[in-house]
Amino acid sequence: MLVLITYDVNTESAMGKSRLRKVAKQCENYGRRVQNSVFECILDQAQCVKLKAVLSDIIDESVDSLRFYYLGNKYQTRVEHIGVERGIPVDQPLVL
């Protein structure tokens, strides 16, 4: 299923900046960045549970936030894009 993950991490301290980098790095392991704090990830249920747990452990819930949007398997009809496309589509293979 396609999961859209957004986050807002308070970066007023060095620890906040570190948390921001850690959250972004974890999201990069599962999907592609489509905007600064927005990732599209194709996940199965187990991956989704694992990623949510990892991200929850990283953030400080008193000042940071995470949002998960579950778009399902038929997400192609639910996503519209206008403007410059960034990178490779999340559901296409990457060949190096």
Side-chain angles (χ1 to χ4, degrees), residues 27-93:
C27 289
E28 286 173 348
N29 290 335
Y30 287 89
R32 75 173 180 133
R33 184 187 302 261
V34 292
Q35 292 186 357
N36 288 336
S37 296
V38 181
F39 281 81
E40 291 178 346
C41 304
I42 300 289
L43 305 171
D44 61 30
Q45 188 65 30
Q47 291 172 318
C48 189
V49 169
K50 180 179 178 183
L51 181 56
K52 188 187 297 186
V54 168
L55 294 177
S56 295
D57 287 343
I58 294 171
I59 68 163
D60 178 347
E61 291 184 22
S62 66
V63 293
D64 304 333
S65 69
L66 289 168
R67 294 181 68 94
F68 296 83
Y69 298 89
Y70 304 100
L71 300 178
N73 292 324
K74 299 189 187 293
Y75 60 87
Q76 291 91 345
T77 60
R78 297 180 181 155
V79 177
E80 180 178 356
H81 179 86
I82 299 172
V84 176
E85 185 70 34
R86 293 177 75 179
I88 299 166
V90 69
D91 59 346
Q92 298 297 315

Side-chain angles (χ1 to χ4, degrees), residues 16-35:
K17 291 175 184 175
S18 175
R19 288 193 313 273
L20 177 68
R21 286 189 299 275
K22 288 177 183 178
V23 168
K25 185 66 175 172
Q26 286 300 318
C27 289
E28 286 173 348
N29 290 335
Y30 287 89
R32 75 173 180 133
R33 184 187 302 261
V34 292
Q35 292 186 357

Side-chain angles (χ1 to χ4, degrees), residues 88 92-96:
I88 299 166
Q92 298 297 315
L94 176 61
V95 179
L96 299 175

